[in-house]
DNA sequence: TACAGAAATGTATAATTTTGCAATAAAATT
DNA sequence: AATTTTATTGCAAAATTATACATTTCTGTA
Protein backbone atom coordinates (compact mmCIF):
# COMPACT_ATOMS: atom_id res chain seq x y z
CA UNK A 1 0.00 0.00 0.00
CA UNK A 2 1.38 3.34 -1.07
CA UNK A 3 0.79 6.92 -0.12
CA UNK A 4 0.04 9.09 -3.12
CA UNK A 5 -0.75 12.29 -1.29
CA UNK A 6 1.25 13.41 1.65
CA UNK A 7 -0.30 15.96 3.91
CA UNK A 8 2.00 18.37 5.64
CA UNK A 9 -0.23 20.25 8.03
CA UNK A 10 1.26 18.37 10.90
CA UNK A 11 4.35 20.19 11.95
CA UNK A 12 5.55 17.30 14.02
CA UNK A 13 7.51 15.81 11.18
CA UNK A 14 9.00 19.02 9.92
CA UNK A 15 12.68 19.54 10.34
CA UNK A 16 13.80 21.78 13.11
CA UNK A 17 15.30 24.26 10.70
CA UNK A 18 12.14 24.54 8.63
CA UNK A 19 10.11 25.17 11.72
CA UNK A 20 12.49 27.91 12.73
CA UNK A 21 12.35 29.41 9.27
CA UNK A 22 8.59 29.61 9.51
CA UNK A 23 8.86 31.23 12.89
CA UNK A 24 11.30 33.79 11.52
CA UNK A 25 8.98 34.65 8.66
CA UNK A 26 6.13 35.13 11.02
CA UNK A 27 8.10 37.24 13.46
CA UNK A 28 9.54 39.68 10.96
CA UNK A 29 6.24 40.17 9.17
CA UNK A 30 4.49 41.08 12.41
CA UNK A 31 7.19 42.83 14.40
CA UNK A 32 9.75 45.50 13.61
CA UNK A 33 12.94 43.56 14.18
CA UNK A 34 16.16 45.47 13.64
CA UNK A 35 18.90 43.08 14.68
CA UNK A 36 19.57 39.39 14.73
CA UNK A 37 19.89 39.50 18.48
CA UNK A 38 16.33 40.75 18.77
CA UNK A 39 15.29 37.91 16.56
CA UNK A 40 17.08 35.42 18.80
CA UNK A 41 15.04 36.56 21.75
CA UNK A 42 11.74 36.39 19.92
CA UNK A 43 12.63 32.93 18.71
CA UNK A 44 13.44 31.87 22.22
CA UNK A 45 9.97 32.94 23.29
CA UNK A 46 8.63 30.54 20.71
CA UNK A 47 10.86 27.77 21.92
CA UNK A 48 13.63 28.00 19.35
CA UNK A 49 17.10 28.11 20.81
CA UNK A 50 19.97 28.92 18.52
CA UNK A 51 22.93 31.22 18.07
CA UNK A 52 23.28 34.38 16.05
CA UNK A 53 25.37 32.59 13.44
CA UNK A 54 22.50 30.28 12.70
CA UNK A 55 20.14 33.21 12.35
CA UNK A 56 22.51 34.83 9.91
CA UNK A 57 22.45 31.71 7.77
CA UNK A 58 18.69 31.45 8.04
CA UNK A 59 18.20 35.00 6.85
CA UNK A 60 20.55 34.42 3.97
CA UNK A 61 18.65 31.29 3.02
CA UNK A 62 15.28 33.01 3.27
CA UNK A 63 16.52 36.04 1.33
CA UNK A 64 15.49 38.29 4.14
CA UNK A 65 17.03 41.74 4.04
CA UNK A 66 17.46 44.72 6.31
CA UNK A 67 16.48 48.15 5.12
CA UNK A 68 15.81 51.58 6.62
CA UNK A 69 12.13 52.24 7.26
CA UNK A 70 10.36 55.57 7.04
CA UNK A 71 11.50 56.56 10.50
CA UNK A 72 15.17 55.88 9.91
CA UNK A 73 15.24 52.60 11.77
CA UNK A 74 16.44 49.40 10.25
CA UNK A 75 13.96 46.58 9.90
CA UNK A 76 14.05 43.14 8.38
CA UNK A 77 11.82 42.45 5.43
CA UNK A 78 10.86 39.42 3.43
CA UNK A 79 11.83 39.54 -0.20
CA UNK A 80 8.91 40.63 -2.32
CA UNK A 81 7.12 42.32 0.50
CA UNK A 82 5.04 45.27 -0.61
CA UNK A 83 6.56 48.48 0.57
CA UNK A 84 4.57 50.90 2.62
CA UNK A 85 3.63 54.40 1.59
CA UNK A 86 6.18 56.97 2.58
CA UNK A 87 5.01 60.05 4.36
CA UNK A 88 6.78 62.66 6.37
CA UNK A 89 9.17 65.51 5.92
CA UNK A 90 10.27 65.99 2.38
CA UNK A 91 13.02 68.29 1.34
CA UNK A 92 12.03 70.45 -1.61
CA UNK A 93 15.60 71.14 -2.52
CA UNK A 94 16.52 67.51 -2.48
CA UNK A 95 13.50 66.59 -4.57
CA UNK A 96 14.30 69.33 -7.06
CA UNK A 97 17.69 67.77 -7.60
CA UNK A 98 15.95 64.62 -8.71
CA UNK A 99 13.68 66.24 -11.25
CA UNK A 100 15.03 65.71 -14.73
CA UNK A 101 12.62 67.31 -17.16
CA UNK A 102 9.25 68.91 -17.67
CA UNK A 103 7.63 68.13 -20.98
CA UNK A 104 4.26 68.68 -22.55
CA UNK A 105 2.12 66.54 -24.77
CA UNK A 106 -1.27 67.81 -25.73
CA UNK A 107 -2.92 68.91 -22.51
CA UNK A 108 -0.76 66.76 -20.33
CA UNK A 109 2.46 67.77 -18.62
CA UNK A 110 5.01 65.08 -17.79
CA UNK A 111 7.48 65.64 -15.04
CA UNK A 112 10.38 63.22 -15.31
CA UNK A 113 12.31 62.31 -12.18
CA UNK A 114 15.02 59.93 -11.16
CA UNK A 115 13.76 56.43 -10.42
CA UNK A 116 11.68 56.26 -7.28
CA UNK A 117 11.18 59.98 -6.84
CA UNK A 118 7.96 60.52 -8.77
CA UNK A 119 5.73 59.78 -5.82
CA UNK A 120 7.51 62.09 -3.42
CA UNK A 121 7.49 64.93 -5.92
CA UNK A 122 3.83 64.39 -6.73
CA UNK A 123 2.91 64.46 -3.05
CA UNK A 124 4.35 67.95 -2.79
CA UNK A 125 2.43 69.15 -5.81
CA UNK A 126 -0.76 67.64 -4.45
CA UNK A 127 -0.19 69.33 -1.11
CA UNK A 128 0.29 72.73 -2.69
CA UNK A 129 -2.80 72.28 -4.85
CA UNK A 130 -1.96 74.94 -7.44
CA UNK A 131 -5.06 76.30 -9.12
CA UNK A 132 -3.66 75.54 -12.52
CA UNK A 133 -3.25 71.85 -11.77
CA UNK A 134 -6.24 69.57 -11.55
CA UNK A 135 -4.41 66.52 -10.40
CA UNK A 136 -1.41 64.24 -10.76
CA UNK A 137 -0.66 60.57 -11.21
CA UNK A 138 2.76 59.42 -10.16
CA UNK A 139 4.56 56.35 -11.41
CA UNK A 140 8.08 55.44 -10.47
CA UNK A 141 9.93 58.07 -12.43
CA UNK A 142 7.18 59.98 -14.23
CA UNK A 143 4.40 62.23 -13.07
CA UNK A 144 1.42 62.94 -15.23
CA UNK A 145 0.13 66.43 -14.50
CA UNK A 146 -3.38 67.19 -15.64
CA UNK A 147 -4.01 70.92 -16.09
CA UNK A 148 -7.28 72.61 -15.37
CA UNK A 149 -9.28 73.23 -18.54
CA UNK A 150 -8.22 76.32 -20.42
CA UNK A 151 -4.95 76.75 -18.54
CA UNK A 152 -2.04 77.24 -20.96
CA UNK A 153 1.19 75.31 -20.76
CA UNK A 154 3.16 78.32 -19.65
CA UNK A 155 0.98 78.66 -16.56
CA UNK A 156 1.42 75.03 -15.66
CA UNK A 157 5.14 75.42 -16.08
CA UNK A 158 5.21 78.47 -13.87
CA UNK A 159 3.22 76.80 -11.15
CA UNK A 160 5.63 73.89 -11.12
CA UNK A 161 8.56 76.29 -10.98
CA UNK A 162 6.91 78.09 -8.10
CA UNK A 163 6.91 74.85 -6.12
CA UNK A 164 10.44 73.80 -7.15
CA UNK A 165 12.36 77.07 -7.59
CA UNK A 166 15.66 75.27 -8.04
CA UNK A 167 14.54 73.98 -11.43
CA UNK A 168 15.01 77.34 -13.08
CA UNK A 169 18.72 77.34 -12.31
CA UNK A 170 19.27 74.11 -14.16
CA UNK A 171 17.77 75.05 -17.49
CA UNK A 172 20.38 76.01 -19.96
CA UNK B 1 8.30 81.89 -28.38
CA UNK B 2 7.76 79.28 -25.72
CA UNK B 3 9.57 76.18 -24.67
CA UNK B 4 7.24 73.23 -24.63
CA UNK B 5 9.87 70.77 -23.63
CA UNK B 6 12.39 71.71 -21.05
CA UNK B 7 15.52 69.64 -20.73
CA UNK B 8 17.39 69.56 -17.49
CA UNK B 9 20.56 67.68 -18.33
CA UNK B 10 22.84 70.21 -16.70
CA UNK B 11 24.06 68.71 -13.47
CA UNK B 12 26.37 71.58 -12.57
CA UNK B 13 24.17 72.98 -9.84
CA UNK B 14 23.31 69.71 -8.23
CA UNK B 15 24.55 69.01 -4.75
CA UNK B 16 27.49 66.75 -4.43
CA UNK B 17 25.52 64.29 -2.38
CA UNK B 18 22.71 64.08 -4.90
CA UNK B 19 25.19 63.43 -7.65
CA UNK B 20 26.75 60.67 -5.61
CA UNK B 21 23.37 59.18 -4.87
CA UNK B 22 22.65 59.04 -8.56
CA UNK B 23 25.96 57.36 -9.16
CA UNK B 24 25.23 54.80 -6.47
CA UNK B 25 21.87 53.99 -8.01
CA UNK B 26 23.44 53.51 -11.35
CA UNK B 27 26.27 51.37 -10.06
CA UNK B 28 24.17 48.97 -8.05
CA UNK B 29 21.59 48.55 -10.78
CA UNK B 30 24.25 47.61 -13.29
CA UNK B 31 26.85 45.80 -11.23
CA UNK B 32 26.70 43.12 -8.57
CA UNK B 33 28.08 45.02 -5.60
CA UNK B 34 28.37 43.07 -2.39
CA UNK B 35 30.11 45.42 0.00
CA UNK B 36 30.38 49.10 0.68
CA UNK B 37 34.09 48.96 0.02
CA UNK B 38 33.42 47.74 -3.49
CA UNK B 39 31.06 50.63 -3.91
CA UNK B 40 33.72 53.06 -2.73
CA UNK B 41 36.04 51.90 -5.47
CA UNK B 42 33.43 52.12 -8.19
CA UNK B 43 32.52 55.58 -7.01
CA UNK B 44 36.15 56.59 -7.11
CA UNK B 45 36.28 55.53 -10.76
CA UNK B 46 33.47 57.97 -11.37
CA UNK B 47 35.24 60.73 -9.51
CA UNK B 48 33.44 60.47 -6.17
CA UNK B 49 35.77 60.32 -3.21
CA UNK B 50 34.25 59.47 0.14
CA UNK B 51 34.55 57.15 3.10
CA UNK B 52 32.67 54.04 4.05
CA UNK B 53 30.73 55.95 6.69
CA UNK B 54 29.30 58.21 4.06
CA UNK B 55 28.32 55.28 1.89
CA UNK B 56 26.58 53.68 4.82
CA UNK B 57 24.56 56.85 5.32
CA UNK B 58 23.83 57.11 1.61
CA UNK B 59 22.52 53.58 1.45
CA UNK B 60 20.36 54.15 4.47
CA UNK B 61 19.00 57.32 2.91
CA UNK B 62 18.33 55.64 -0.42
CA UNK B 63 16.76 52.61 1.25
CA UNK B 64 19.18 50.35 -0.47
CA UNK B 65 19.42 46.89 1.01
CA UNK B 66 21.67 43.89 0.80
CA UNK B 67 20.22 40.48 0.11
CA UNK B 68 21.44 37.06 -0.97
CA UNK B 69 21.09 36.42 -4.68
CA UNK B 70 20.38 33.11 -6.35
CA UNK B 71 24.02 32.05 -6.15
CA UNK B 72 24.38 32.71 -2.45
CA UNK B 73 26.25 35.96 -2.85
CA UNK B 74 25.15 39.17 -1.24
CA UNK B 75 24.19 42.04 -3.53
CA UNK B 76 22.80 45.49 -3.02
CA UNK B 77 19.37 46.27 -4.40
CA UNK B 78 17.29 49.37 -4.78
CA UNK B 79 14.01 49.44 -2.94
CA UNK B 80 11.13 48.88 -5.34
CA UNK B 81 13.42 47.48 -7.94
CA UNK B 82 11.60 45.52 -10.59
CA UNK B 83 11.92 41.89 -9.80
CA UNK B 84 12.48 39.42 -12.57
CA UNK B 85 10.63 36.86 -10.57
CA UNK B 86 9.10 34.05 -12.51
CA UNK B 87 5.58 34.87 -13.50
CA UNK B 88 3.97 31.84 -11.95
CA UNK B 89 0.41 31.13 -11.10
CA UNK B 90 0.88 32.01 -7.48
CA UNK B 91 2.14 35.50 -8.21
CA UNK B 92 -0.74 36.26 -10.55
CA UNK B 93 -3.17 34.80 -8.11
CA UNK B 94 -1.80 36.84 -5.25
CA UNK B 95 -1.83 40.05 -7.24
CA UNK B 96 -5.35 39.42 -8.48
CA UNK B 97 -6.48 39.21 -4.89
CA UNK B 98 -5.25 42.75 -4.44
CA UNK B 99 -7.07 44.25 -7.40
CA UNK B 100 -10.16 46.07 -6.29
CA UNK B 101 -11.79 47.56 -9.36
CA UNK B 102 -11.51 48.35 -13.05
CA UNK B 103 -13.10 51.62 -14.09
CA UNK B 104 -13.23 53.70 -17.22
CA UNK B 105 -13.17 57.40 -17.86
CA UNK B 106 -13.13 58.60 -21.42
CA UNK B 107 -10.35 56.66 -23.10
CA UNK B 108 -8.57 55.84 -19.90
CA UNK B 109 -8.97 52.75 -17.80
CA UNK B 110 -8.23 52.89 -14.09
CA UNK B 111 -7.29 49.75 -12.23
CA UNK B 112 -7.62 50.18 -8.48
CA UNK B 113 -5.55 48.03 -6.17
CA UNK B 114 -4.82 47.74 -2.51
CA UNK B 115 -2.20 50.22 -1.33
CA UNK B 116 1.26 49.39 -2.60
CA UNK B 117 0.21 46.87 -5.23
CA UNK B 118 -0.22 49.13 -8.23
CA UNK B 119 3.38 48.84 -9.32
CA UNK B 120 3.55 45.05 -9.11
CA UNK B 121 0.33 44.67 -11.04
CA UNK B 122 1.41 47.16 -13.70
CA UNK B 123 4.67 45.32 -14.17
CA UNK B 124 2.78 42.18 -15.08
CA UNK B 125 0.64 44.05 -17.59
CA UNK B 126 3.70 45.64 -19.11
CA UNK B 127 5.38 42.28 -19.40
CA UNK B 128 2.44 40.74 -21.21
CA UNK B 129 2.21 43.72 -23.56
CA UNK B 130 -1.35 43.14 -24.69
CA UNK B 131 -1.98 44.62 -28.11
CA UNK B 132 -4.97 46.57 -26.81
CA UNK B 133 -2.92 48.38 -24.20
CA UNK B 134 -0.50 51.07 -25.21
CA UNK B 135 1.01 51.60 -21.79
CA UNK B 136 0.46 52.03 -18.08
CA UNK B 137 1.35 54.44 -15.32
CA UNK B 138 1.30 53.04 -11.83
CA UNK B 139 0.89 55.06 -8.67
CA UNK B 140 0.59 53.52 -5.24
CA UNK B 141 -2.89 52.09 -5.51
CA UNK B 142 -4.02 53.15 -8.97
CA UNK B 143 -2.92 52.20 -12.45
CA UNK B 144 -3.73 54.34 -15.42
CA UNK B 145 -4.12 52.17 -18.50
CA UNK B 146 -3.89 53.88 -21.83
CA UNK B 147 -5.60 51.94 -24.62
CA UNK B 148 -4.39 51.80 -28.18
CA UNK B 149 -6.33 54.13 -30.44
CA UNK B 150 -9.65 52.77 -31.59
CA UNK B 151 -9.73 49.96 -29.06
CA UNK B 152 -13.07 49.83 -27.26
CA UNK B 153 -13.42 49.53 -23.52
CA UNK B 154 -14.72 46.01 -23.72
CA UNK B 155 -11.49 44.90 -25.38
CA UNK B 156 -9.38 46.55 -22.75
CA UNK B 157 -11.44 44.89 -20.11
CA UNK B 158 -11.03 41.53 -21.76
CA UNK B 159 -7.30 41.88 -22.07
CA UNK B 160 -7.01 42.71 -18.38
CA UNK B 161 -9.21 39.75 -17.49
CA UNK B 162 -7.06 37.55 -19.67
CA UNK B 163 -4.05 38.46 -17.56
CA UNK B 164 -5.83 38.22 -14.22
CA UNK B 165 -8.48 35.52 -14.72
CA UNK B 166 -9.42 35.55 -11.06
CA UNK B 167 -10.93 39.00 -11.47
CA UNK B 168 -14.01 37.75 -13.24
CA UNK B 169 -15.06 35.83 -10.18
CA UNK B 170 -14.90 38.87 -7.96
CA UNK B 171 -15.78 41.88 -10.03
CA UNK B 172 -19.22 42.42 -11.40
C1' DT C 1 31.63 89.93 3.09
C1' DA C 2 30.67 88.18 7.56
C1' DC C 3 27.95 85.51 10.37
C1' DA C 4 24.67 81.93 12.21
C1' DG C 5 22.54 77.80 11.64
C1' DA C 6 22.00 73.61 9.05
C1' DA C 7 23.78 69.89 6.43
C1' DA C 8 27.35 66.82 5.06
C1' DT C 9 31.49 64.37 5.96
C1' DG C 10 35.65 62.13 8.14
C1' DT C 11 37.64 59.70 12.05
C1' DA C 12 37.55 56.42 15.27
C1' DT C 13 34.99 53.10 17.36
C1' DA C 14 31.01 50.43 18.40
C1' DA C 15 27.67 47.33 16.75
C1' DT C 16 26.35 43.86 13.83
C1' DT C 17 26.77 40.35 10.49
C1' DT C 18 29.28 36.74 8.04
C1' DT C 19 32.18 32.74 7.74
C1' DG C 20 35.96 28.96 8.38
C1' DC C 21 36.32 25.12 10.88
C1' DA C 22 35.25 21.49 14.01
C1' DA C 23 31.60 19.03 16.15
C1' DT C 24 27.13 17.05 16.02
C1' DA C 25 22.89 15.50 14.11
C1' DA C 26 20.28 13.64 10.45
C1' DA C 27 19.78 10.89 6.35
C1' DA C 28 21.09 7.49 3.21
C1' DT C 29 23.37 3.15 2.12
C1' DT C 30 24.98 -1.40 2.73
C1' DA D 1 22.58 -2.15 12.93
C1' DA D 2 26.72 -0.33 11.33
C1' DT D 3 28.80 2.69 8.18
C1' DT D 4 29.11 6.44 5.15
C1' DT D 5 27.52 10.74 3.52
C1' DT D 6 25.27 14.98 3.94
C1' DA D 7 23.23 18.73 6.46
C1' DT D 8 23.04 21.65 10.46
C1' DT D 9 25.01 24.13 14.19
C1' DG D 10 28.14 26.45 17.62
C1' DC D 11 32.27 28.85 18.44
C1' DA D 12 35.46 32.30 17.61
C1' DA D 13 37.40 35.35 14.58
C1' DA D 14 37.07 38.09 10.50
C1' DA D 15 34.50 41.10 7.78
C1' DT D 16 31.29 44.46 7.28
C1' DT D 17 28.26 48.10 8.57
C1' DA D 18 26.48 51.83 11.68
C1' DT D 19 27.11 55.80 14.53
C1' DA D 20 28.89 59.38 18.14
C1' DC D 21 31.39 63.19 17.91
C1' DA D 22 34.28 66.71 15.86
C1' DT D 23 35.11 69.28 11.76
C1' DT D 24 34.15 71.15 7.44
C1' DT D 25 31.08 72.72 3.95
C1' DC D 26 27.02 74.77 2.49
C1' DT D 27 22.96 78.24 2.65
C1' DG D 28 20.58 81.95 3.63
C1' DT D 29 20.66 86.63 5.56
C1' DA D 30 22.13 91.01 7.28
Amino acid sequence: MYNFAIKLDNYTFMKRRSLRHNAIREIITNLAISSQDQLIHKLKEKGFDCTQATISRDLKFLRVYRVADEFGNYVYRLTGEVKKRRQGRLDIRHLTDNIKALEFSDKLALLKTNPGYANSVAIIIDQVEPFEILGTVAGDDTILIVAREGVPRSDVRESVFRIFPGMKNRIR
Side-chain angles (χ1 to χ4, degrees), chain A:
Chain A
M1 186 58 176
Y2 294 98
N3 278 324
F4 292 109
I6 300 166
K7 292 265 187 178
L8 295 176
D9 12 334
N10 188 334
Y11 287 82
T12 313
F13 301 107
M14 211 178 269
K15 283 188 217 165
R16 201 148 46 105
R17 193 177 71 148
S18 289
L19 288 169
R20 193 178 58 241
H21 283 180
N22 285 339
I24 289 174
R25 281 176 188 283
E26 190 198 319
I27 290 169
I28 67 176
T29 51
N30 295 322
L31 276 53
I33 302 293
S34 64
S35 78
Q36 297 181 5
D37 268 331
Q38 280 183 42
L39 197 46
I40 288 179
H41 292 122
K42 291 294 170 192
L43 282 170
K44 196 158 281 174
E45 290 176 12
K46 286 177 174 286
F48 295 95
D49 209 333
C50 64
T51 64
Q52 176 273 325
T54 296
I55 304 279
S56 173
R57 293 177 182 116
D58 287 347
L59 296 183
K60 183 176 188 177
F61 182 90
L62 293 171
R63 306 265 200 105
V64 167
Y65 60 89
R66 198 168 75 134
V67 67
D69 69 7
E70 60 258 64
F71 308 115
N73 303 312
Y74 288 95
V75 292
Y76 283 95
R77 295 252 174 90
L78 292 175
T79 304
E81 185 184 348
V82 176
K83 60 183 170 177
K84 281 191 239 166
R85 294 165 191 268
R86 177 152 59 137
Q87 283 291 346
R89 298 184 76 73
L90 294 165
D91 174 11
I92 297 281
R93 172 170 287 274
H94 169 66
L95 291 177
T96 305
D97 285 344
N98 287 285
I99 294 175
K100 297 204 306 196
L102 173 64
E103 297 172 354
F104 290 86
S105 168
D106 205 353
K107 298 184 175 181
L108 295 175
L110 272 77
L111 200 54
K112 302 286 187 67
T113 71
N114 282 325
Y117 280 88
N119 190 48
S120 309
V121 172
I123 285 170
I124 298 293
I125 297 175
D126 289 347
Q127 281 175 355
V128 174
E129 285 195 57
F131 171 80
E132 298 86 349
I133 295 175
L134 203 58
T136 68
V137 182
D140 183 59
D141 59 4
T142 303
I143 303 163
L144 219 59
I145 298 177
V146 181
R148 193 176 291 276
E149 266 191 340
V151 172
R153 292 178 176 187
S154 56
D155 286 14
V156 174
R157 196 182 57 181
E158 301 243 325
S159 68
V160 172
F161 281 9
R162 213 178 302 126
I163 300 170
F164 304 101
M167 285 178 68
K168 272 203 285 267
N169 303 329
R170 312 218 322 273
I171 303 167
R172 51 166 154 196

